[in-house]
Amino acid sequence: MTTFGLIHGGFQTSWCWGKLRDELERRSHRVLTVDLPVSDTTADPDAYLDVVASAFGSAPDPVVVVGHSIAGWTAMRLPDRIPVEGIIYLCSCINLPPGEYEDEPLPVISADPADWTPDDVGLITMAPDAAREYFFHDLDPALADEAISHLVRQSVTGVAGPTSKPTIPAVPASYVKATDDRAVSDAWATWAATLLTGRDALLIGGSHFPLLSRPQELADLFEQIVARF
């Protein structure tokens, strides 16, 4: 049995993990989730880390932490706070310091910047059509509608990354890249996998949300990853 700590990405709540959580629990794994304060304009990445460390810190065993999308930065720093068995970067993106890596392929996000524009208070609203295009294009329409209904506004404060070149944690790590991810740039994800894990990305088909579109396949892949940890 593995204890998985699942951290959702931007515009999300822990609702998005439901199908994968059910699949992992069916296989007798323990699953922990958390709701990040993504709509709080005062909550920075340090606040996200505090919330996750509090939620997962009482686990009886070291956690395999899964950081989806912008939660990659939170997942990367969690080993400094609680016992972590390993990290799975799932379609992750981290806003690294500009110019720190000369070979970094930019942009990180492949979506149209017009769909990510914050309002006057620093909140981004993901329109339903944009969510279908970038997040949920391979979901059954009814499930896509449900996923869209659970979207929340995302504060730009929370998507900031490190201010200097980060230290890669000394725990086993794997990066899972979706082959039809329309949110995170394929070139960036390929590059980041090597930076963050020291190896090539593992592939899964479909969109930025394999946790919704392919929960059984993703659970299989997670078990394979953990077996190598």
Side-chain angles (χ1 to χ4, degrees):
M1 184 194 73
T2 298
T3 298
F4 289 96
L6 309 179
I7 313 173
H8 67 77
F11 306 97
Q12 306 299 315
T13 69
S14 57
W15 174 89
C16 69
W17 294 114
K19 288 186 175 294
L20 180 63
R21 181 193 62 231
D22 291 348
E23 181 62 29
L24 290 171
E25 289 179 343
R26 186 184 66 78
R27 303 176 187 212
S28 299
H29 300 296
R30 180 183 293 111
V31 178
L32 308 174
T33 61
V34 61
D35 285 312
L36 298 178
V38 297
S39 298
D40 182 350
T41 57
T42 69
D44 62 10
D46 289 341
Y48 288 20
L49 181 62
D50 288 342
V51 168
V52 174
S54 177
F56 297 169
S58 60
D61 303 302
V63 173
V64 172
V65 59
V66 180
H68 179 240
S69 196
I70 66 164
W73 179 222
T74 303
M76 185 178 178
R77 295 196 292 164
L78 198 59
D80 290 336
R81 299 287 297 275
I82 68 170
V84 168
E85 181 181 354
I87 302 172
I88 299 175
Y89 298 98
L90 177 59
C91 303
S92 294
C93 53
I94 300 174
N95 288 317
L96 296 166
E100 194 69 58
Y101 298 91
E102 293 183 358
D103 61 338
E104 181 183 10
L106 298 173
V108 177
I109 302 299
S110 55
D112 186 341
D115 292 319
W116 302 78
T117 303
D119 63 16
D120 292 341
V121 297
L123 289 170
I124 308 169
T125 299
M126 177 63 68
D129 287 348
R132 289 182 192 278
E133 171 65 18
Y134 303 132
F135 290 166
F136 308 132
H137 59 85
D138 62 343
L139 268 60
D140 175 90
L143 180 56
D145 287 343
E146 186 177 7
I148 288 169
S149 76
H150 285 273
L151 292 175
V152 297
R153 293 189 297 174
Q154 172 67 51
S155 168
V156 294
T157 307
V159 303
T163 57
S164 60
K165 185 176 288 188
T167 300
I168 308 301
V171 298
S174 291
Y175 189 107
V176 176
K177 182 179 75 168
T179 57
D180 195 16
D181 191 333
R182 299 180 185 177
V184 177
S185 160
D186 181 77
W188 189 89
T190 299
W191 173 86
T194 301
L195 173 72
L196 298 173
T197 73
R199 64 190 74 183
D200 292 341
L202 300 174
L203 302 181
I204 191 167
S207 68
H208 190 62
F209 275 80
L211 52 158
L212 288 172
S213 63
R214 301 165 184 259
Q216 293 182 339
E217 184 179 344
L218 189 59
D220 288 342
L221 187 54
F222 280 8
E223 289 186 326
Q224 294 168 20
I225 290 170
V226 170
R228 293 199 294 268
F229 285 170

